[in-house]
Amino acid sequence: MLKPDSSLSNNLLMFEKIDEYKDFMNLKKYDLAIVKANEAILYGKKWRNYDTLYYQDFSGTYEFLSNAYIDYGDDFFSKNDFKSALSNYIKADSILTHKEHKPKYIKSTERDIYWNRYNLLLTYNKLSDYDNYDSELDYLVNNYLKVKDTFDIDYHYILENASSNYYTRSYYSDAIDLNKASLIILNQDSVNNINSYKNTYVRLIRNYLITDNSETAKTYLKKYGKITSNNDCRYLFYKTRILQKENTKEALEVAKKTCICFERENKPTSLFFSNLLLLKLELE
């Protein structure tokens, strides 16, 4: 039973490689975990004598391999190495959708495929690859209800990313529509989504300001003010932006408070733009 290349020996070797895979995953040595997952797949094939009718028996090895690629991709993404992240997410997708992968739990695998496509969306966004970004967004929107029962906070995150992407590309009216759709979702659980509310209000204010619709921007600033403090740095910044069009002297005073606020919070990029706005007001 235990002679080399027997069914049982290959089965035992497959589980041995899975244990080694798990050890490397715990150590975050994803490249080595990938090697072990591939070896586990090979022993799984030998165990089932390369008969694809029985590949479901070791479908977990494919999922282990895809998880290693996804975690490896996440690691690169966190380091801003988006090209390497993309390469790993694409490999994960190819494993999950490979014809040899016969998933035991089909719905679970569909969810894994779907959320890895979300990883691709985020990465294409970072790489400014808008053709592929739009393809991934279409896929996510069209297939969402296949993996979720209702439009919840997860769908908001997809819309949130799309609205920011559209803003960058100057598709302001589309970005506004996405922001408003996000608010409908957030209304379902407003208490636990205050930060998401704030971010969405800020996006709406920003979009309306850039399209010279100050009155509507002011409306959303008031809504934003109701769920934050008057010392909120972003609130002060956009209050300054609106006042800039109405009362330069008052805007100047709020701009000074904004700079102090961002300096206190140690946010260099925001401090730069608030100082730039202050300079414009002083010149005016």
Side-chain angles (χ1 to χ4, degrees):
M1 289 175 67
L2 291 175
K3 67 180 181 180
D5 274 343
S6 71
S7 176
L8 180 58
S9 64
N10 283 316
N11 178 267
L12 293 173
L13 285 167
M14 179 185 74
F15 283 108
E16 179 182 301
K17 297 305 175 183
I18 289 172
D19 287 340
E20 291 174 2
Y21 157 87
K22 290 178 179 179
D23 289 339
F24 284 127
M25 287 293 285
N26 288 332
L27 293 170
K28 298 184 178 181
K29 295 183 177 181
Y30 304 117
D31 54 339
L32 297 177
I34 287 167
V35 171
K36 295 305 173 182
N38 272 309
E39 289 176 353
I41 289 172
L42 179 59
Y43 283 118
K45 290 178 179 180
K46 289 182 177 180
W47 170 42
R48 286 310 181 200
N49 199 27
Y50 297 96
D51 188 341
T52 55
L53 289 175
Y54 298 98
Y55 276 18
Q56 189 181 72
D57 294 344
F58 59 93
S59 63
T61 56
Y62 287 92
E63 284 139 30
F64 290 144
L65 180 58
S66 67
N67 287 338
Y69 277 123
I70 290 170
D71 285 1
Y72 207 13
D74 291 345
D75 188 48
F76 281 119
F77 193 98
S78 68
K79 297 172 182 174
N80 296 328
D81 185 352
F82 302 118
K83 287 186 177 180
S84 295
L86 179 64
S87 175
N88 281 278
Y89 293 144
I90 289 173
K91 287 174 183 175
D93 183 72
S94 70
I95 295 300
L96 290 168
T97 57
H98 197 283
K99 63 181 180 180
E100 289 183 351
H101 178 211
K102 311 292 184 183
K104 187 173 291 187
Y105 306 104
I106 295 174
K107 284 293 182 181
S108 177
T109 299
E110 286 177 351
R111 286 193 294 271
D112 291 341
I113 292 169
Y114 184 89
W115 290 113
N116 186 54
R117 296 287 290 268
Y118 180 62
N119 292 332
L120 288 169
L121 178 88
L122 299 181
T123 312
Y124 284 129
N125 185 43
K126 292 292 187 180
L127 292 169
S128 300
D129 183 346
Y130 296 137
D131 287 339
N132 279 310
Y133 179 91
D134 289 342
S135 295
E136 294 305 324
L137 182 61
D138 286 344
Y139 171 86
L140 293 172
V141 170
N142 292 332
N143 291 280
Y144 184 81
L145 288 178
K146 293 180 181 178
V147 296
K148 299 282 285 192
D149 294 329
T150 184
F151 293 105
D152 58 12
I153 192 66
D154 287 333
Y155 197 67
H156 159 76
Y157 293 137
I158 295 170
L159 298 183
E160 180 183 52
N161 186 270
S163 69
S164 294
N165 177 277
Y166 284 175
Y167 177 85
T168 301
R169 296 158 71 181
S170 303
Y171 300 160
Y172 302 119
S173 60
D174 291 329
I176 288 169
D177 289 341
L178 290 171
N179 295 148
K180 289 180 177 179
S182 283
L183 288 178
I184 294 171
I185 295 169
L186 295 174
N187 283 336
Q188 299 173 18
D189 189 8
S190 57
V191 175
N192 293 315
N193 296 316
I194 292 297
N195 287 332
S196 293
Y197 256 108
K198 289 180 179 179
N199 292 334
T200 305
Y201 281 145
V202 164
R203 288 188 173 87
L204 279 163
I205 294 164
R206 185 178 62 182
N207 277 301
Y208 280 120
L209 279 173
I210 206 165
T211 54
D212 292 323
N213 193 336
S214 298
E215 287 304 310
T216 307
K218 193 185 299 183
T219 299
Y220 281 104
L221 183 69
K222 287 180 181 177
K223 291 182 178 183
Y224 182 60
K226 289 179 180 178
I227 59 174
T228 193
S229 71
N230 290 331
N231 295 320
D232 182 303
C233 298
R234 291 193 299 178
Y235 175 80
L236 292 171
F237 179 80
Y238 286 104
K239 184 177 180 180
T240 306
R241 290 276 307 275
I242 291 171
L243 286 170
Q244 183 183 16
K245 300 174 182 293
E246 301 173 350
N247 187 325
T248 304
K249 186 176 180 180
E250 188 178 352
L252 188 61
E253 294 306 310
V254 180
K256 291 175 183 176
K257 293 179 182 178
T258 305
C259 291
I260 293 169
C261 186
F262 279 127
E263 187 172 15
R264 186 169 57 244
E265 289 194 354
N266 192 27
K267 293 184 176 178
T269 302
S270 297
L271 181 59
F272 170 79
F273 284 109
S274 59
N275 271 302
L276 187 62
L277 180 57
L278 176 62
L279 174 61
K280 289 180 180 178
L281 289 164
E282 287 175 337
L283 288 171
E284 289 175 21

